[in-house]
Amino acid sequence: MGSVIVLGGRVVGDQKPTVLMIDDEQFDAELLERILVRVPDWQAQVVHYEDPQAALEALPGLDIDAIFLDYHIGNVDGLSVLKSIRALNFIKPVIVLTGQGSESIALEVMRAGADDYLLKGLLTPEAVSRVIKHAQAQYFHRQTEATNDALLKAIPDLMLRIRRDGVLLDARPGDDVGLTLVPEQCLGRHVRDVLPEAFADLTMQHVDQVMTSGQARSFEYRLLDGRDQRYFEVRVANCSRDQVVALIRNITERRLAEEMILKQGEDLAFVKDELEDQAGVLILRSEELEKAHAKAEAAVHSKSEFLANMSHEIRTPMTAILGYTDLLTEPGISAGDLKNYVATIRRNGEHLLTIINDILDMSKIESGKMTIEKIECSPGQILSDVLSLLMERAKSKGLALKAELDGPIPKVIETDPTRLRQILINLVGNAIKFTDQGCIRVVVRLIDSPDGPDSSLSFDVIDTGIGMTEDQVATMFEAFLQADTTTTRKYGGTGLGLMISKRFANMLGGDLSASCESGRGCSFTATVAAGPLAGVEMIDSLDSIGVDATMDKPSVPGSSAATSVSANVLLAEDSPDNQRLIRFVLRKAGMSVDVADNGLVAYEKALEAWRNGTPFDIVLMDMQMPEMDGYEATRNLRQEGYRGHIVALTAHAMSSDRDKCLAAGCDDYATKPINKDQLIKMIKRQVDAVGHDNCESNSVAG
């Protein structure tokens, strides 16, 4: 075993990277250390092994960030050592040092698994810095590929990548889906040669539809095999211009369970008819039995509607979750898109969790197992938390959300803050849901008990929404009910929120009531016991405890002061989520925003406005869009003589991408995910630039 030479010391707590050098020349190791000291952000210590076999034996126990490997180590071939290194699952950068420079050696080195190579005669800080950066990029690429491969392996479905003409390009087996096909033997064959004929025909129909519309589609298929029948759910999504991905899942157990439930429902319906026949005789003898039967029938009907609605409420977020999870498997996904997909999955997951929590709360309440805890808490802070949570939902509908005090209230009370917060979230959330214009006000007041020291705190949630009739108000606090089925279809929801809120209010020593007028809005009043208030400080303003009572324009902690820009902006962006985000940021900064869903529409809108003498002050151009991408749209505008400002929006952040955007004719360049302050400053800089007038400035086409 060769000697180990440690060049440079690692101080306790020092985070210097460690480089392993395998070379039979100590001089080369010393030279490399002197060079690494001069490489910015890479002042590494060097661990030197002269004997490659000794280095391989020690490698698993070393914390190595990169390896520099000599092409020839005495009589040992460095590339064979490289293969042994990779066999030890070392995936970090490996750089080969060689005294010979030729294209054939370079290809041989890279094919053997190296991330880069260096000529010993050209060892300079600049050269070492370049190869380190390139090797790190290769390492991160391998990590990304490993992550993507793990994600694909985690998908339980059979995944087929299909060319537009029906030829299978790739197949990844998932869990047993009940199809007798071997993925490795399917590649290069047509779908009709792999799947049953009718199944294949239906799959190809959806492939054509997806290729035409660009929208993902799904369908179910029943496969009959003698007396046996199997059900499959297939989701087809576009992954490139001429390819789609089809995910096939065996849903036989689920469908059989649904059929069993349907059969049970038919049996129940038959029993119901029998009971109704018997009830017809009993009704003549007892009015009480008639009322009991009517009530039972109404309960069955309500629960049936509830179950149907619940199925819809659960399947809707699940569809989004599964769909966006499918998108995560597509190659070439940008960081901006990944963030949006994950946010969409999280948003729908939280919605699904809310539905599940409502069901569990109802179950606990019905079984008498719901418990509360009374602790000291701030009602003002709880109200502020609720308004902050729901502020964006209100703003998305153009609604004002305000809080006010009707007289002094205690700074702290004794109650269950979790249940109080849940009551207010339900009430304010409903107010936003059923209000299309106007505002929502939350009025808080203290109700003194005339018979003793006990007091209650009242929260009035007042909206200007659709309101309700007296009959609807009479049943609104019953389980499984909304105002009517049309309300459920239009606004969604489980119909449990008000019932749960009323039960919680009762458990907190208060109540929940409502006063509504159809077409004029509703006022819900929730009261909770405040507990003993002796010695408790009273406040007459939410500002006194640092709570913003008006949530029209929320402040963002840590954000810089807003910059106001008067500009007419054309936003070319195909993602609805990005459209909403960027449009919100720009409008908040004082700009008017017009949106184009693709490059072709952006080109037409910008050209038309310019020719009509009302040009946009600036065009924000997403560089990757359907119909016509941002590069082509910008080049076409410049060829038409368009001289207005165009700023590229792209998820690519390499310097070459910036150069590509500027060469296409863009004036500036911004990367996704956007930094709102930097984007606004960039727009202001462009708009305020000398000679910015669209009709008079010189052409900036590249």
Side-chain angles (χ1 to χ4, degrees):
M1 177 176 178
S3 61
V4 180
I5 304 172
V6 179
L7 304 176
R10 185 193 288 263
V11 197
V12 174
D14 189 13
Q15 297 300 315
K16 292 181 179 179
T18 301
V19 172
L20 171 63
M21 183 166 185
I22 306 175
D23 192 316
D24 56 353
E25 292 293 335
Q26 181 177 342
F27 171 80
D28 291 338
E30 294 173 343
L31 175 61
L32 178 63
E33 186 208 20
R34 290 195 298 271
I35 290 175
L36 287 174
V37 170
R38 297 168 59 190
V39 175
D41 301 324
W42 197 263
Q43 290 79 20
Q45 72 171 2
V46 179
V47 178
H48 177 210
Y49 273 85
E50 296 177 350
D51 181 0
Q53 185 59 38
L56 291 173
E57 293 174 358
L59 181 57
L62 297 175
D63 184 14
I64 297 299
D65 298 288
I67 295 177
F68 284 77
L69 173 66
D70 194 7
Y71 185 70
H72 285 299
I73 312 168
N75 295 325
V76 179
D77 179 14
L79 298 188
S80 65
V81 178
L82 173 58
K83 293 178 181 178
S84 299
I85 291 172
R86 292 306 188 197
L88 293 173
N89 292 323
F90 184 87
I91 64 172
K92 294 182 180 179
V94 177
I95 301 166
V96 173
L97 300 175
T98 176
Q100 309 172 50
S102 70
E103 184 175 345
S104 62
I105 292 179
L107 289 174
E108 182 183 21
V109 166
M110 301 305 289
R111 288 171 178 169
D115 296 284
D116 212 332
Y117 72 97
L118 270 173
L119 294 176
K120 287 187 176 182
L122 299 178
L123 283 177
T124 64
E126 293 76 16
V128 173
S129 176
R130 174 185 61 78
V131 298
I132 286 175
K133 289 179 180 179
H134 178 262
Q136 285 178 320
Q138 293 289 96
Y139 166 60
F140 292 137
H141 178 69
R142 284 196 299 273
Q143 283 186 314
T144 300
E145 286 187 333
T147 300
N148 291 339
D149 187 65
L151 286 172
L152 290 174
K153 290 179 179 178
I155 297 175
D157 308 326
L158 169 65
M159 186 182 78
L160 304 177
R161 186 158 58 91
I162 307 171
R163 203 165 61 197
R164 186 166 196 160
D165 59 4
V167 174
L168 290 177
L169 302 178
D170 192 14
R172 290 179 178 265
D175 296 341
D176 182 15
V177 297
L179 292 173
T180 56
L181 57 87
V182 180
E184 294 79 10
Q185 299 176 1
C186 299
L187 304 186
R189 301 173 63 188
H190 197 279
V191 171
R192 292 187 176 89
D193 298 329
V194 174
L195 298 177
E197 182 177 357
F199 196 178
D201 290 340
L202 190 56
T203 300
M204 287 307 302
Q205 289 178 18
H206 283 76
V207 170
D208 293 338
Q209 293 172 2
V210 169
M211 295 302 300
T212 301
S213 66
Q215 301 295 320
R217 293 181 178 272
S218 60
F219 67 94
E220 291 185 5
Y221 179 78
R222 184 180 68 166
L223 179 62
L224 297 176
D225 185 9
R227 294 186 176 181
D228 187 24
Q229 58 181 355
R230 283 164 287 166
Y231 294 88
F232 299 92
E233 183 181 70
V234 182
R235 183 171 182 83
V236 183
N238 191 296
C239 64
S240 69
R241 288 187 176 182
D242 64 343
Q243 296 176 23
V244 300
V245 171
L247 297 178
I248 301 176
R249 175 174 296 181
N250 190 324
I251 59 169
T252 302
E253 291 184 1
R254 188 183 79 192
R255 285 299 306 272
L256 292 178
E258 291 174 349
E259 290 178 1
M260 182 178 66
I261 292 173
L262 182 61
K263 179 63 168 60
Q264 291 176 344
E266 293 173 351
D267 294 340
L268 288 175
F270 176 79
V271 172
K272 174 177 169 289
D273 292 337
E274 291 292 320
L275 290 176
E276 286 179 344
D277 292 338
Q278 297 176 20
V281 177
L282 296 175
I283 286 173
L284 299 175
R285 302 176 182 177
S286 173
E287 184 177 339
E288 290 296 324
L289 287 178
E290 180 184 12
K291 292 180 179 179
H293 170 72
K295 187 175 181 179
E297 187 177 37
V300 171
H301 181 69
S302 298
K303 290 186 178 181
S304 297
E305 287 189 347
F306 168 76
L307 291 175
N309 179 45
M310 190 61 62
S311 175
H312 169 78
E313 287 295 315
I314 292 175
R315 285 173 179 267
T316 297
M318 280 303 300
T319 298
I321 291 170
L322 293 175
Y324 277 87
T325 301
D326 291 345
L327 293 181
L328 291 178
T329 67
E330 295 188 7
I333 185 171
S334 68
D337 287 340
L338 178 60
K339 185 176 181 181
N340 290 329
Y341 295 167
V342 172
T344 302
I345 293 172
R346 180 180 180 84
R347 182 169 63 250
N348 282 275
E350 290 173 346
H351 176 56
L352 188 59
L353 181 61
T354 299
I355 295 172
I356 294 172
N357 286 338
D358 280 352
I359 297 173
L360 293 177
D361 284 343
M362 181 197 69
S363 176
K364 289 181 180 179
I365 291 172
E366 292 291 332
S367 63
K369 295 182 179 180
M370 177 63 71
T371 60
I372 62 171
E373 62 172 351
K374 289 190 176 182
I375 60 175
E376 190 173 89
C377 57
S378 167
Q381 188 59 55
I382 291 173
L383 178 59
S384 176
D385 292 343
V386 171
L387 297 185
S388 297
L389 178 66
L390 299 174
M391 173 193 61
E392 287 299 331
R393 193 186 305 175
K395 292 189 67 177
S396 70
K397 299 183 68 173
L399 303 174
L401 186 56
K402 302 178 181 179
E404 57 189 82
L405 302 185
D406 183 9
I409 67 169
K411 186 175 183 179
V412 295
I413 62 174
E414 283 188 6
T415 189
D416 189 326
T418 300
R419 303 310 173 195
L420 177 56
R421 183 179 291 107
Q422 192 168 347
I423 293 171
L424 294 177
I425 288 175
N426 276 334
L427 296 182
V428 178
N430 275 352
I432 295 172
K433 181 192 296 186
F434 297 110
T435 302
D436 293 325
Q437 60 183 0
C439 68
I440 290 93
R441 297 167 50 230
V442 183
V443 181
V444 189
R445 65 174 60 85
L446 179 64
I447 304 174
D448 293 318
S449 172
D451 301 323
D454 295 334
S455 300
S456 296
L457 206 59
S458 168
F459 298 83
D460 294 339
V461 179
I462 306 167
D463 65 60
T464 57
I466 62 174
M468 283 185 282
T469 65
E470 292 183 2
D471 292 338
Q472 291 170 339
V473 172
T475 60
M476 70 166 61
F477 296 115
E478 294 182 18
F480 315 117
L481 291 180
Q482 284 192 327
D484 56 32
T485 55
T486 58
T487 301
T488 301
R489 289 193 295 269
K490 181 175 181 181
Y491 295 98
T494 63
L496 298 175
L498 289 177
M499 184 275 289
I500 292 172
S501 297
K502 184 175 180 68
R503 299 288 183 89
F504 282 163
N506 296 153
M507 296 171 72
L508 295 179
D511 199 2
L512 177 61
S513 60
S515 173
C516 301
E517 185 176 351
S518 182
R520 301 288 297 273
C522 288
S523 175
F524 285 82
T525 300
T527 58
V528 296
L533 298 179
V536 175
E537 178 184 350
M538 305 297 287
I539 60 172
D540 55 10
S541 169
L542 292 174
D543 295 335
S544 63
I545 57 173
V547 174
D548 185 3
T550 302
M551 308 305 290
D552 294 328
K553 297 179 180 179
S555 60
V556 179
S559 65
S560 59
T563 302
S564 178
V565 182
S566 178
N568 186 19
V569 179
L570 174 61
L571 171 62
E573 171 62 63
D574 61 310
S575 167
D577 287 337
N578 282 345
Q579 289 175 3
R580 288 191 292 270
L581 171 64
I582 299 173
R583 180 167 51 197
F584 170 80
V585 169
L586 299 186
R587 285 181 174 174
K588 187 177 179 183
M591 294 172 245
S592 61
V593 183
D594 193 2
V595 175
D597 293 323
N598 58 60
L600 180 59
V601 174
Y603 164 78
E604 292 172 347
K605 284 190 173 184
L607 201 60
E608 180 181 4
W610 177 57
R611 289 173 173 171
N612 290 339
T614 56
F616 292 99
D617 295 304
I618 195 165
V619 177
L620 299 182
M621 185 74 73
D622 184 17
M623 304 313 286
Q624 289 187 331
M625 293 182 290
E627 301 294 337
M628 178 187 293
D629 63 26
Y631 300 103
E632 185 178 355
T634 301
R635 282 193 294 267
N636 290 346
L637 284 171
R638 295 309 187 198
Q639 290 172 2
E640 292 287 344
Y642 185 86
R643 298 181 179 182
H645 293 291
I646 302 176
V647 172
L649 290 179
T650 175
H652 302 295
M654 302 294 289
S655 59
S656 59
D657 298 307
R658 176 185 178 89
D659 295 340
K660 184 178 178 181
C661 293
L662 297 180
C666 296
D667 300 287
D668 214 331
Y669 168 94
T671 59
K672 296 177 182 178
I674 66 166
N675 180 302
K676 66 175 184 178
D677 293 328
Q678 293 179 3
L679 180 62
I680 293 172
K681 289 178 182 178
M682 176 185 294
I683 293 174
K684 182 174 177 60
R685 183 173 65 250
Q686 291 288 341
V687 171
D688 292 345
V690 177
H692 75 279
D693 187 88
N694 288 339
C695 298
E696 298 297 332
S697 65
N698 293 327
S699 173
V700 294

